[in-house]
Amino acid sequence: MRVTEKTYSFREFTRERDQLNDLDNPFLQQVLQQFCDGTWDEMLPRLEPFVQKLTTDWRGIAAENARPENQPKVRHYNAYNERIDRIVRPYEMQQMEREIFGYGLFSSQQIKNEGIVKRYFLHGNGEAGITCPLACTDGLVALMEHFLDEAPADIQNIYQHVTEGIDGDFAIGAQYMSEIQGGSNIPANILMAKPEGHHYRLFGNKFFCSAVHADYSVVTARIEDTDDIAVFVVPTWLEGDKAREKRNHHVINRLKWKIGTAELPSAEIDYQGAIAYRIGPQNRGVALAVSIVLTRSRLDIGFASGAFLMRAAREAKLYARFRTVFERQIDEFPMAAAQLEDLEHAAKRIVGTAFFIYEAFNRTQQNPHSTEAYVVRELVLLQKIFASKEAVDKLRLAISIFGGHGAIEDFSAIPRLFRDSLVNELWEGPRNVLLAQIYRDIMKMRKQISLDTLISSILTDSSTQEVQYFVEQIDQLMQEDLTALPNAENRRAARRWEQVWEEIFTLFQEQTIKELQDLPILTRTDGC
């Protein structure tokens, strides 16, 4: 039959793509078996129905919710001139959110690592208005657990609501730290916390607040008449007020118009005496926010980067096998075949490394002052920097495999994943900020832990000569002050600083997956 524009169909490709189950991935299953360390047989039957629902029902809702007409809006007043600041989102989105949080991903009923593995799979649908609130809830839970034994009843009740739920309702967490004058610079916060009995009242503005529909938020603020930055848990609604849409003494000024994560309502908030509960010492807010809350968000970005790329690589391989151009399938051209290979390998490196670093982070929490804990802290920063950077680059590459169709938002999810990845690269610190943090960390720790120890602990499979090469490179670059005002010398050193650490982290990724790298990411039944 002669193929014309009226007879050509993408149905074979879309049928195969839509039947993909993210768990049917030999490489990923082996990564998860190693990560679960003896509990895989118990984990798998818990994952199967969850991932099946995720790759069918929730995937369709996520795609529909991403359409511009379905993005969140704010309704400031009701018909009776009462300020409500209602976040308006599609019913299907809210239902999906209730279902996902209803799984109790932070509950004691979950087996070890069940929550984080399910959250990895959720990232395959993009941020979708779901995974940022989950990451923020993770940080909220970890912060409360750190001080749970001494926490007042208010915090205990919030912890119960978030982890085990109350009458079947599981609370959602958020974190608001950025202010207009400081951005990532939490010590520059000027939001004021005024003591009042057993709680505080907040006055001022937070300029970038994602998940403003959440039930509780972690907020940093300056204690009145002090230089102390403390961390607080702030209910969005006080008891009995949620149904009346009466917010806890704060208003939403506007929703942000973002390049990505558009399904997630991000806003500017004015606090007008909001009741807040301090958690931890009042002069340790910055340290607690970074070490407990932001670190978990950075770990989450590693999983997101990997899941985005893994989905893109699998769908691009299917399309390249389906689509014929110039009388050949796309994957029969060397240039395209090489790009597909690079895309798949990047997905494997980022996914494998994300689970490796997460396990190492958990292992070192019992001894946070050990050499291993220091090494893992730097790996978390390196992963945030380079996994999110590579996700952007490789998702753009995946788009190109689809040709002109790659630019069509409803042809595939990859344009949305690409836009979400741009936000991930900035979220919890852009590249230049975190590269400078690594420099400061090494300057602070090098008398206690040598550069040789740091690099050899990261590159455990590298030769002594290779480790020494990187040690000498870093040592030479550290002769320049990379935190001073810019000049020709330190700008040149700063460029090389990024290059050297990217080389080191890529080698670390390669050694992490070396025994698994030849496993496929699609099963034979997927046609590849």
Side-chain angles (χ1 to χ4, degrees), residues 390-407:
E390 186 166 28
V392 171
D393 293 342
K394 291 301 192 296
L395 285 166
R396 184 171 58 245
L397 176 64
I399 287 171
S400 74
I401 296 294
F402 289 79
H405 298 118

PDB file of all heavy atoms in Angstrom, residues 390-407:
ATOM      1  N   GLU A 390      23.460  17.233  33.531  1.00  0.00           N
ATOM      2  CA  GLU A 390      23.431  16.265  32.436  1.00  0.00           C
ATOM      3  C   GLU A 390      22.000  15.920  32.041  1.00  0.00           C
ATOM      4  O   GLU A 390      21.724  15.645  30.868  1.00  0.00           O
ATOM      5  CB  GLU A 390      24.189  14.992  32.817  1.00  0.00           C
ATOM      6  CG  GLU A 390      24.307  14.036  31.655  1.00  0.00           C
ATOM      7  CD  GLU A 390      25.312  12.919  31.869  1.00  0.00           C
ATOM      8  OE1 GLU A 390      25.554  12.538  33.028  1.00  0.00           O
ATOM      9  OE2 GLU A 390      25.858  12.424  30.860  1.00  0.00           O
ATOM     10  N   ALA A 391      21.087  15.931  32.998  1.00  0.00           N
ATOM     11  CA  ALA A 391      19.689  15.667  32.660  1.00  0.00           C
ATOM     12  C   ALA A 391      19.186  16.683  31.641  1.00  0.00           C
ATOM     13  O   ALA A 391      18.504  16.323  30.672  1.00  0.00           O
ATOM     14  CB  ALA A 391      18.824  15.696  33.923  1.00  0.00           C
ATOM     15  N   VAL A 392      19.512  17.954  31.843  1.00  0.00           N
ATOM     16  CA  VAL A 392      19.110  18.990  30.888  1.00  0.00           C
ATOM     17  C   VAL A 392      19.712  18.701  29.517  1.00  0.00           C
ATOM     18  O   VAL A 392      19.012  18.715  28.490  1.00  0.00           O
ATOM     19  CB  VAL A 392      19.541  20.380  31.383  1.00  0.00           C
ATOM     20  CG1 VAL A 392      19.319  21.434  30.300  1.00  0.00           C
ATOM     21  CG2 VAL A 392      18.785  20.760  32.657  1.00  0.00           C
ATOM     22  N   ASP A 393      21.000  18.428  29.480  1.00  0.00           N
ATOM     23  CA  ASP A 393      21.689  18.208  28.205  1.00  0.00           C
ATOM     24  C   ASP A 393      21.132  16.983  27.472  1.00  0.00           C
ATOM     25  O   ASP A 393      20.872  17.022  26.264  1.00  0.00           O
ATOM     26  CB  ASP A 393      23.182  18.024  28.439  1.00  0.00           C
ATOM     27  CG  ASP A 393      23.861  19.291  28.939  1.00  0.00           C
ATOM     28  OD1 ASP A 393      23.269  20.380  28.777  1.00  0.00           O
ATOM     29  OD2 ASP A 393      24.970  19.190  29.506  1.00  0.00           O
ATOM     30  N   LYS A 394      20.956  15.892  28.206  1.00  0.00           N
ATOM     31  CA  LYS A 394      20.543  14.651  27.556  1.00  0.00           C
ATOM     32  C   LYS A 394      19.053  14.637  27.212  1.00  0.00           C
ATOM     33  O   LYS A 394      18.641  13.965  26.253  1.00  0.00           O
ATOM     34  CB  LYS A 394      20.902  13.454  28.435  1.00  0.00           C
ATOM     35  CG  LYS A 394      22.406  13.195  28.547  1.00  0.00           C
ATOM     36  CD  LYS A 394      23.037  12.933  27.194  1.00  0.00           C
ATOM     37  CE  LYS A 394      24.463  12.385  27.302  1.00  0.00           C
ATOM     38  NZ  LYS A 394      25.402  13.355  27.917  1.00  0.00           N
ATOM     39  N   LEU A 395      18.233  15.333  27.972  1.00  0.00           N
ATOM     40  CA  LEU A 395      16.819  15.431  27.590  1.00  0.00           C
ATOM     41  C   LEU A 395      16.664  16.250  26.311  1.00  0.00           C
ATOM     42  O   LEU A 395      15.807  15.947  25.474  1.00  0.00           O
ATOM     43  CB  LEU A 395      15.998  16.041  28.734  1.00  0.00           C
ATOM     44  CG  LEU A 395      15.742  15.086  29.897  1.00  0.00           C
ATOM     45  CD1 LEU A 395      15.245  15.851  31.113  1.00  0.00           C
ATOM     46  CD2 LEU A 395      14.740  14.001  29.508  1.00  0.00           C
ATOM     47  N   ARG A 396      17.500  17.263  26.158  1.00  0.00           N
ATOM     48  CA  ARG A 396      17.500  18.009  24.888  1.00  0.00           C
ATOM     49  C   ARG A 396      17.903  17.080  23.744  1.00  0.00           C
ATOM     50  O   ARG A 396      17.335  17.138  22.644  1.00  0.00           O
ATOM     51  CB  ARG A 396      18.450  19.207  24.994  1.00  0.00           C
ATOM     52  CG  ARG A 396      18.438  20.101  23.753  1.00  0.00           C
ATOM     53  CD  ARG A 396      19.220  21.373  23.976  1.00  0.00           C
ATOM     54  NE  ARG A 396      20.598  21.119  24.346  1.00  0.00           N
ATOM     55  CZ  ARG A 396      21.143  21.431  25.524  1.00  0.00           C
ATOM     56  NH1 ARG A 396      20.408  22.026  26.446  1.00  0.00           N
ATOM     57  NH2 ARG A 396      22.402  21.155  25.785  1.00  0.00           N
ATOM     58  N   LEU A 397      18.875  16.204  24.005  1.00  0.00           N
ATOM     59  CA  LEU A 397      19.282  15.224  23.004  1.00  0.00           C
ATOM     60  C   LEU A 397      18.128  14.270  22.681  1.00  0.00           C
ATOM     61  O   LEU A 397      17.878  13.952  21.506  1.00  0.00           O
ATOM     62  CB  LEU A 397      20.487  14.437  23.516  1.00  0.00           C
ATOM     63  CG  LEU A 397      20.995  13.299  22.632  1.00  0.00           C
ATOM     64  CD1 LEU A 397      21.514  13.844  21.308  1.00  0.00           C
ATOM     65  CD2 LEU A 397      22.095  12.515  23.347  1.00  0.00           C
ATOM     66  N   ALA A 398      17.411  13.817  23.711  1.00  0.00           N
ATOM     67  CA  ALA A 398      16.283  12.909  23.488  1.00  0.00           C
ATOM     68  C   ALA A 398      15.221  13.564  22.614  1.00  0.00           C
ATOM     69  O   ALA A 398      14.628  12.914  21.744  1.00  0.00           O
ATOM     70  CB  ALA A 398      15.687  12.489  24.834  1.00  0.00           C
ATOM     71  N   ILE A 399      14.981  14.837  22.853  1.00  0.00           N
ATOM     72  CA  ILE A 399      14.006  15.570  22.031  1.00  0.00           C
ATOM     73  C   ILE A 399      14.411  15.520  20.561  1.00  0.00           C
ATOM     74  O   ILE A 399      13.573  15.348  19.664  1.00  0.00           O
ATOM     75  CB  ILE A 399      13.879  17.018  22.530  1.00  0.00           C
ATOM     76  CG1 ILE A 399      13.102  17.059  23.858  1.00  0.00           C
ATOM     77  CG2 ILE A 399      13.202  17.916  21.497  1.00  0.00           C
ATOM     78  CD1 ILE A 399      13.107  18.416  24.543  1.00  0.00           C
ATOM     79  N   SER A 400      15.713  15.636  20.303  1.00  0.00           N
ATOM     80  CA  SER A 400      16.176  15.668  18.908  1.00  0.00           C
ATOM     81  C   SER A 400      15.958  14.340  18.195  1.00  0.00           C
ATOM     82  O   SER A 400      15.822  14.316  16.968  1.00  0.00           O
ATOM     83  CB  SER A 400      17.658  16.066  18.860  1.00  0.00           C
ATOM     84  OG  SER A 400      18.495  14.989  19.291  1.00  0.00           O
ATOM     85  N   ILE A 401      15.936  13.232  18.936  1.00  0.00           N
ATOM     86  CA  ILE A 401      15.683  11.934  18.311  1.00  0.00           C
ATOM     87  C   ILE A 401      14.309  11.911  17.650  1.00  0.00           C
ATOM     88  O   ILE A 401      14.092  11.251  16.624  1.00  0.00           O
ATOM     89  CB  ILE A 401      15.797  10.798  19.354  1.00  0.00           C
ATOM     90  CG1 ILE A 401      17.243  10.703  19.898  1.00  0.00           C
ATOM     91  CG2 ILE A 401      15.345   9.468  18.781  1.00  0.00           C
ATOM     92  CD1 ILE A 401      18.272  10.283  18.882  1.00  0.00           C
ATOM     93  N   PHE A 402      13.375  12.653  18.204  1.00  0.00           N
ATOM     94  CA  PHE A 402      12.012  12.706  17.670  1.00  0.00           C
ATOM     95  C   PHE A 402      11.869  13.718  16.528  1.00  0.00           C
ATOM     96  O   PHE A 402      10.771  13.875  15.993  1.00  0.00           O
ATOM     97  CB  PHE A 402      11.027  13.059  18.781  1.00  0.00           C
ATOM     98  CG  PHE A 402      10.818  11.963  19.792  1.00  0.00           C
ATOM     99  CD1 PHE A 402      11.743  11.737  20.793  1.00  0.00           C
ATOM    100  CD2 PHE A 402       9.699  11.161  19.735  1.00  0.00           C
ATOM    101  CE1 PHE A 402      11.552  10.734  21.731  1.00  0.00           C
ATOM    102  CE2 PHE A 402       9.489  10.149  20.667  1.00  0.00           C
ATOM    103  CZ  PHE A 402      10.434   9.928  21.660  1.00  0.00           C
ATOM    104  N   GLY A 403      12.947  14.409  16.187  1.00  0.00           N
ATOM    105  CA  GLY A 403      12.868  15.403  15.140  1.00  0.00           C
ATOM    106  C   GLY A 403      11.892  16.507  15.507  1.00  0.00           C
ATOM    107  O   GLY A 403      11.791  16.919  16.663  1.00  0.00           O
ATOM    108  N   GLY A 404      11.145  16.980  14.531  1.00  0.00           N
ATOM    109  CA  GLY A 404      10.186  18.050  14.787  1.00  0.00           C
ATOM    110  C   GLY A 404       9.125  17.665  15.794  1.00  0.00           C
ATOM    111  O   GLY A 404       8.630  18.508  16.552  1.00  0.00           O
ATOM    112  N   HIS A 405       8.778  16.360  15.845  1.00  0.00           N
ATOM    113  CA  HIS A 405       7.777  15.917  16.812  1.00  0.00           C
ATOM    114  C   HIS A 405       8.283  16.081  18.253  1.00  0.00           C
ATOM    115  O   HIS A 405       7.466  16.136  19.184  1.00  0.00           O
ATOM    116  CB  HIS A 405       7.400  14.453  16.566  1.00  0.00           C
ATOM    117  CG  HIS A 405       6.781  14.223  15.223  1.00  0.00           C
ATOM    118  ND1 HIS A 405       7.352  13.408  14.275  1.00  0.00           N
ATOM    119  CD2 HIS A 405       5.657  14.732  14.657  1.00  0.00           C
ATOM    120  CE1 HIS A 405       6.606  13.413  13.186  1.00  0.00           C
ATOM    121  NE2 HIS A 405       5.571  14.206  13.381  1.00  0.00           N
ATOM    122  N   GLY A 406       9.581  16.153  18.424  1.00  0.00           N
ATOM    123  CA  GLY A 406      10.126  16.309  19.771  1.00  0.00           C
ATOM    124  C   GLY A 406       9.747  17.622  20.416  1.00  0.00           C
ATOM    125  O   GLY A 406       9.757  17.741  21.646  1.00  0.00           O
ATOM    126  N   ALA A 407       9.401  18.614  19.601  1.00  0.00           N
ATOM    127  CA  ALA A 407       9.035  19.929  20.138  1.00  0.00           C
ATOM    128  C   ALA A 407       7.553  20.029  20.468  1.00  0.00           C
ATOM    129  O   ALA A 407       7.115  21.054  20.997  1.00  0.00           O
ATOM    130  CB  ALA A 407       9.414  21.023  19.136  1.00  0.00           C
TER     131      ALA A 407
END
